[in-house]
Amino acid sequence: MTTITGAAAGHRHRDPASGGWAPYLFIAPFYVLYVLFMIVPVVAAVYLSMTEWVGLGRPSFVGFKNYADLVADTSFRTALGNSGIYVLVAVVIVVPCALLIAQALNARGLRLRDLFRVTFFVPMVLSPIVIALVYGLLLDTNYGIVNNVLRALFGVGSVDWLGDPGLAKVVISFVLLWRWVGYLSIFFLAALQAVPAELYEAAELDGAGPIRSFATVTLPAIRPVSSFVVVTSFISAAQLFDEPYLLTHGGPGEATLSVAMFIYRAAFERQQFGYAAAAGVVLFIIVFAVSQILNRALAIGRTQ
């Protein structure tokens, strides 16, 4: 009896030493990388945002001066407004269109389904530079295919698609729709295929038509994926850079300038790295705060 008790005590004594640190060692690489590539850059950006620095020499600490200058900067307010428009387009137009396309691709008896899926997904894998070149050729004022078609069919003169402030926003919004809708449709399609067929059969027995089944069965069933798509679309649109930079360079004037482009100009064109860091911190705070609001509103991560 004494021997058994001593062995059990020895076993209990060896557990912390033999396995106590093993879980921490396994998860340590994640936390080390998280600190190095997330926490440290954020802290460095916050410190840099309180300095004046041209990229060489030692930064000069100026406190909250950069943030005060941002409040009075009309270019920054314009960039915030433009980014807000891109966010609305992504959430209000792109996401519903992606859901409708996924619903169509999930329909029974659809021929060439795989071809349609590849076709919708191709824009997302194309290089942004290729996209800019293609749309530049399509929308050129004098020689663009779109203007030539409009002139031949309706007699419309040369439309300056990328030189008019209003039309330039429309072009950027259309490119967002064209490029992202197929990618987001993949998420919705996966969610739709996971909805049990029994739910639709029960709704059909209750006399529900296609629209009612979509509202009462499909939307509640895919709510987690829908919430994820909305939040990720918001974050991506708020940080939009490629499309306005490559298509319009933020112009005409500042009509399509995004916050990400504003940061790029401040840092790499004017060498105001502290000012650019301040704008980046403001963007981070806005995106983080709105994402948290969306997480709570859409109940992301909660059990239904």
Side-chain angles (χ1 to χ4, degrees):
M1 187 70 177
T2 305
T3 305
I4 296 175
T5 304
H11 178 71
R12 288 196 300 269
H13 177 72
R14 286 193 300 270
D15 277 346
S18 60
W21 289 101
Y24 299 100
L25 292 176
F26 281 113
I27 65 175
F30 165 78
Y31 285 102
V32 171
L33 295 176
Y34 182 80
V35 170
L36 288 177
F37 295 101
M38 183 65 184
I39 302 300
V40 172
V42 169
V43 173
V46 172
Y47 169 75
L48 185 61
S49 70
M50 298 182 181
T51 66
E52 286 185 355
W53 189 46
V54 296
L56 298 173
R58 188 173 182 177
S60 176
F61 186 80
V62 294
F64 292 96
K65 178 180 179 298
N66 289 327
Y67 294 96
D69 292 341
L70 282 176
V71 174
D73 194 332
T74 57
S75 295
F76 184 68
R77 293 200 296 269
T78 300
L80 281 176
N82 292 336
S83 292
I85 293 174
Y86 301 145
V87 167
L88 287 177
V89 170
V91 175
V92 178
I93 298 178
V94 177
V95 172
C97 287
L99 176 57
L100 293 178
I101 290 175
Q103 182 75 7
L105 292 176
N106 195 48
R108 297 178 181 177
L110 179 66
R111 297 181 179 180
L112 303 177
R113 179 177 304 179
D114 293 336
L115 176 62
F116 287 127
R117 291 178 182 177
V118 173
T119 302
F120 281 113
F121 189 75
V122 163
M124 196 63 195
V125 299
L126 289 177
S127 169
I129 297 177
V130 173
I131 295 173
L133 291 174
V134 170
Y135 274 93
L137 294 174
L138 291 174
L139 301 174
D140 184 83
T141 305
N142 299 316
Y143 307 105
I145 297 176
V146 175
N147 278 340
N148 286 331
V149 171
L150 291 177
R151 190 179 299 110
L153 295 179
F154 306 104
V156 179
S158 298
V159 180
D160 193 1
W161 295 99
L162 301 178
D164 181 85
L167 291 177
K169 287 187 176 70
V170 173
V171 170
I172 298 296
S173 300
F174 177 79
V175 174
L176 287 182
L177 175 66
W178 175 80
R179 189 181 182 199
W180 291 7
V181 70
Y183 174 71
L184 298 180
S185 297
I186 300 300
F187 293 98
F188 283 123
L189 184 60
L192 291 172
Q193 292 177 342
V195 179
E198 294 80 5
L199 296 179
Y200 293 107
E201 295 173 358
E204 187 177 352
L205 291 176
D206 289 339
I211 297 178
R212 184 180 172 188
S213 296
F214 180 79
T216 59
V217 176
T218 303
L219 289 181
I222 66 172
R223 180 179 177 181
V225 174
S226 302
S227 302
F228 168 79
V229 170
V230 168
V231 174
T232 54
S233 298
F234 160 74
I235 294 174
S236 299
Q239 304 175 83
L240 189 69
F241 177 82
D242 292 343
E243 286 80 359
Y245 177 77
L246 293 173
L247 285 172
T248 62
H249 301 287
E254 295 178 344
T256 58
L257 181 70
S258 65
V259 177
M261 273 200 67
F262 176 89
I263 295 171
Y264 172 83
R265 287 182 175 181
F268 299 104
E269 293 183 3
R270 301 194 300 268
Q271 283 73 50
Q272 297 175 329
F273 289 96
Y275 195 57
V281 171
V282 172
L283 177 62
F284 171 80
I285 293 173
I286 293 174
V287 170
F288 180 81
V290 176
S291 298
Q292 293 303 310
I293 294 173
L294 290 175
N295 287 341
R296 292 181 179 274
L298 299 175
I300 297 177
R302 303 178 191 173
T303 57
Q304 303 296 323

